[in-house]
Amino acid sequence: MSEPEIKVGTSSSASFHRAPMAPAMPGGRASSSYGLSVTDDIDARIWERIKDHPCFSEQAHHYFARMHVAVAPACNIQCNYCNRKYDCTNESRPGVASVKLTPDQAVRKVLAVASKVPELSVVGVAGPGDACYDWRKTVATFEGVAREIPDIRLCISTNGLALPDHVDELADMNVDHVTITINMVDPEVGAKIYPWILHGHRRYTGIEGARILHERQMLGLEMLTKRGILTKINSVMIPGVNDTHLVEVNRWIRDRGAFMHNVVPLISKPSHGTYYGLTGQRCPEPFELKALQDCLDGNVKLMRHCQQCRADAIGLLGDDREREFALDQISTRVKFDTRKREAYRKLVQHERGDQLAAKLDANKAVRSLGSSGTLAVAVATKGGGRINEHFGQARELQVYAVSRKGINLVGHRKVEQYCLGGLGEKATLDHTIVALDGIDILLSSKIGDCPKKRLAETGVRASDAFSYSYIETAIGALYAAEFGGKPAMPTALGPSN
Amino acid sequence: MAFKIIVSQCTQCGACEFECPSDAISFKGEGYVVDSKKCTECKGEFDTQQCASVCPMPKTCVPA
Ligand code: SF4
Ligand code: SF4
Ligand code: SF4
Ligand code: SF4
């Protein structure tokens, strides 16, 4: 019998039958240096808890997938940026789900997905309403999933209002990751975001409602921290409403033990039918978001790779496979195949050690140059920490900043797929060029001569010379070539390119 | 005396079914409906009609 074929990303060297590797870490203290290298100063115990969670660990998002089950449509507050009524399958934003599931349907769907997507490590309830308010459905779903796949991680996302009522049960169910959306700590600001809340069978509006929400959010966060549950705080950045105020929010959540802060830009179009959409509230520009993130950096760990997924998203972040798993295609009796899953986990363990070692080396080399030069590098990747996607097929590019502080992921940019059909290629490329503003170098597994030339004219050097290398290794080599006096790999960005 | 749901505006979020103290709201065929025989308008239980107060859509849970 042959082993199921498993790959990490599409990396060529990551085939399943590979020789056992040497220990990844010098000195053999693998686990503690894992913690340090990946997440700077997070200790090894925490690393154990986040290493398979694509949202809580940036490194994990190269390897692991999450799935949201849309079982909780009811909500106890109204946010001005939310409307659960409209769904377009091309839309990617929280609150959107094509089909609502009953807990039974959700469990079946999880099994179908887990059989086909070995990367699946997290199942979350993230709406389209509120997981803590529509609690019975959340619990029924979690119980079913945990019974069928005991090693899967459970995760919820909530507005926090009903959270304090359920913290004990969350702890009992081993829900180790909770996301709370906190957009304000000042009820005056809150009143501009939340027209009403429902609490204790009564509706409250304006400042009174926002104050109750704020108090419940802080209480919920403190209770989670006390129980050692990891919390991620999502904040929606709304220009002119809470953008500057989020600095204050960041301070409050840090003081209450939040693990991570994820500032996401408001998504608002008139067609979404939200209050903000209809009143023409503008969304933040990428540079505004980045400026805010930069000024928050260093307090609580900042998340830079969030995709603002749909409430029914499936797959690796940035590669949604929701449409492959329509419920009517899922038979009532799903046979759960664990083989792929186990094989994948084994492979990741190896591959990941390699990637970490490569990342550590590259970072060390960059720091040791002590150069004051900086580079902004965009990378097309399908995961596995490698440069393994064709420029023409990339739907997003990851952006790394390199300086004497090392090589750091600072965000991602959406681009249109250049290769989709002949028509409109030029327009697409124009769009991509705008998206690449400020980028010095673009790395992909393959890029045509024509786009490469066009990009060069706008000052972006594109190369496929590092195809299938580890991202950090390639970036480190380029940086050294640029600022260290030593030549990079021979085929790299020579003038003839 | 009962409430009803204006189906065309309902987002089918299910919050009303969840909050109704009289178990009067259920999903039937295309959408949520109020069983007028069971609906008490929340009298004796709450100051406000629960379905109307949770509903995210204005004027969707209204007196029949
Ligand atoms: S809490 Fe979530 S589901 Fe409820 S209104 Fe706000 S964004 Fe929408
Ligand atoms: S919305 Fe952000 S935090 Fe939630 S699953 Fe997607 S990437 Fe992770
Ligand atoms: S008015 Fe009260 S009893 Fe009647 S349907 Fe609404 S929630 Fe139920
Ligand atoms: S609360 Fe309103 S929108 Fe939600 S199901 Fe009931 S009637 Fe429909």
Side-chain angles (χ1 to χ4, degrees):
Chain A
M1 222 172 91
S2 65
E3 294 273 3
E5 214 209 314
I6 304 285
K7 285 184 174 177
V8 173
T10 51
S11 138
S12 52
S13 65
S15 74
F16 187 65
H17 305 278
R18 60 203 294 276
M21 325 172 306
M25 297 299 150
R29 293 189 56 238
S31 63
S32 64
S33 34
Y34 266 71
L36 289 173
S37 62
V38 178
T39 49
D40 299 333
D41 43 11
I42 292 166
D43 75 32
R45 277 203 342 271
I46 295 206
W47 171 237
E48 269 310 306
R49 293 164 63 192
I50 62 170
K51 72 181 181 17
D52 316 343
H53 198 304
C55 310
F56 278 71
S57 154
E58 186 239 305
Q59 206 241 3
H61 104 278
H62 294 294
Y63 296 104
F64 288 105
R66 52 74 187 99
M67 168 175 184
H68 287 163
V69 283
V71 293
C75 190
N76 50 354
I77 73 178
Q78 181 62 55
C79 304
N80 279 337
Y81 49 77
C82 178
N83 177 357
R84 284 156 277 145
K85 186 162 177 170
Y86 300 104
D87 161 45
C88 152
T89 44
N90 293 318
E91 260 173 44
S92 182
R93 61 189 166 88
V96 168
S98 301
V99 193
K100 287 153 207 155
L101 304 176
T102 65
D104 280 351
Q105 290 172 326
V107 174
R108 267 186 3 235
K109 191 165 173 176
V110 170
L111 288 178
V113 172
S115 300
K116 271 209 201 153
V117 183
E119 297 95 333
L120 185 71
S121 65
V122 179
V123 168
V125 178
D130 188 74
C132 282
Y133 175 61
D134 217 343
W135 181 245
R136 281 174 298 182
K137 293 191 202 130
T138 303
V139 173
T141 306
F142 280 170
E143 282 174 352
V145 171
R147 195 171 49 234
E148 302 288 342
I149 319 180
D151 71 346
I152 213 142
R153 286 183 193 272
L154 304 172
C155 173
I156 65 161
S157 196
T158 173
N159 61 41
L161 183 58
L163 173 63
D165 303 337
H166 302 299
V167 171
D168 289 331
E169 293 158 277
L170 284 169
D172 289 346
M173 287 191 295
N174 284 324
V175 175
D176 202 27
H177 300 82
V178 173
T179 298
I180 318 174
T181 301
I182 301 182
N183 298 319
M184 52 90 199
V185 292
D186 176 355
E188 303 240 3
V189 176
K192 296 183 197 141
I193 304 173
Y194 307 103
W196 57 261
I197 67 156
L198 184 92
H199 181 58
H201 302 286
R202 247 197 78 191
R203 195 197 286 256
Y204 298 85
T205 55
I207 292 180
E208 194 187 11
R211 176 172 298 117
I212 295 170
L213 177 63
H214 162 64
E215 283 161 6
R216 302 279 293 172
Q217 287 177 332
M218 295 303 132
L219 176 63
L221 173 57
E222 284 163 12
M223 291 171 76
L224 290 169
T225 302
K226 215 185 269 160
R227 283 163 186 76
I229 294 174
L230 295 178
T231 48
K232 173 161 74 61
I233 307 303
N234 279 2
S235 298
V236 182
M237 178 183 186
I238 312 162
V241 176
N242 72 346
D243 46 354
T244 49
H245 181 61
L246 287 179
V247 178
E248 182 82 10
V249 171
N250 185 268
R251 206 162 28 233
W252 277 65
I253 62 161
R254 177 193 59 197
D255 292 348
R256 283 158 187 77
F259 175 69
M260 187 175 235
H261 196 184
N262 177 24
V263 179
V264 296
L266 171 70
I267 304 177
S268 166
K269 283 195 201 145
S271 63
H272 298 160
T274 61
Y275 172 83
Y276 282 152
L278 297 173
T279 54
Q281 167 67 49
R282 78 172 179 93
C283 306
E285 301 291 338
F287 75 89
E288 293 174 300
L289 178 68
K290 184 165 179 304
L292 175 63
Q293 287 175 330
D294 287 347
C295 101
L296 300 178
D297 217 352
N299 295 330
V300 184
K301 205 176 154 36
L302 267 202
M303 178 174 185
R304 300 264 194 166
H305 63 284
C306 179
Q307 299 279 346
Q308 299 184 277
C309 311
R310 299 163 54 90
D312 55 7
I314 295 175
L316 292 168
L317 305 187
D319 179 23
D320 196 14
R321 299 176 61 179
E322 193 268 319
R323 270 169 266 183
E324 288 170 44
F325 296 97
L327 193 69
D328 51 345
Q329 291 168 13
I330 296 171
S331 62
T332 32
R333 286 247 242 55
V334 181
K335 222 182 119 270
F336 180 35
D337 178 3
T338 56
R339 279 196 316 154
K340 267 193 181 177
R341 215 174 139 71
E342 283 153 15
Y344 183 78
R345 302 229 149 198
K346 268 195 223 141
L347 168 65
V348 164
Q349 241 172 28
H350 283 293
E351 176 68 15
R352 212 168 189 182
D354 279 356
Q355 192 209 337
L356 276 181
K359 180 172 175 167
L360 270 185
D361 287 349
N363 265 301
K364 219 162 72 208
V366 163
R367 288 196 195 105
S368 71
L369 291 176
S371 161
S372 59
T374 59
L375 274 184
V377 184
V379 179
T381 174
K382 286 182 177 168
R386 293 180 188 260
I387 301 164
N388 53 9
E389 182 144 61
H390 192 305
F391 170 69
Q393 267 144 29
R395 271 178 291 195
E396 70 159 36
L397 300 168
Q398 308 216 342
V399 179
Y400 287 80
V402 203
S403 70
R404 57 147 60 99
K405 284 193 281 181
I407 303 165
N408 291 300
L409 178 76
V410 291
H412 57 82
R413 302 208 187 156
K414 299 255 183 254
V415 289
E416 277 166 53
Q417 281 167 295
Y418 174 65
C419 268
L420 279 183
L423 276 178
E425 282 200 352
K426 193 186 162 301
T428 309
L429 193 56
D430 287 346
H431 178 269
T432 304
I433 285 170
V434 175
L436 285 175
D437 184 38
I439 301 289
D440 302 304
I441 296 174
L442 169 82
L443 299 176
S444 58
S445 67
K446 193 108 201 71
I447 181 165
D449 284 337
C450 172
K452 197 189 227 173
K453 226 158 102 212
R454 286 285 316 283
L455 288 170
E457 285 159 18
T458 65
V460 179
R461 289 172 284 160
S463 168
D464 49 21
F466 292 94
S467 186
Y468 294 104
S469 316
Y470 283 124
I471 295 171
E472 278 89 0
T473 306
I475 294 179
L478 286 168
Y479 187 81
E482 206 104 334
F483 302 108
K486 269 180 274 161
M489 284 159 69
T491 45
L493 306 162
S496 63
N497 271 349
Chain B
M1 295 292 269
F3 264 53
K4 67 171 180 191
I5 290 168
I6 313 284
V7 181
S8 61
Q9 300 184 100
C10 169
T11 67
Q12 301 191 353
C13 73
C16 55
E17 175 190 25
F18 179 44
E19 291 290 343
C20 172
S22 322
D23 206 13
I25 300 179
S26 56
F27 195 77
K28 289 241 165 69
E30 295 283 281
Y32 283 91
V33 287
V34 179
D35 180 343
S36 58
K37 287 197 226 64
K38 286 186 174 174
C39 173
T40 59
E41 293 201 346
C42 295
K43 285 209 181 79
E45 306 244 20
F46 299 107
D47 299 341
T48 55
Q49 283 81 25
Q50 295 299 293
C51 54
S53 77
V54 283
C55 182
M57 304 304 287
K59 302 203 180 89
T60 298
C61 298
V62 290

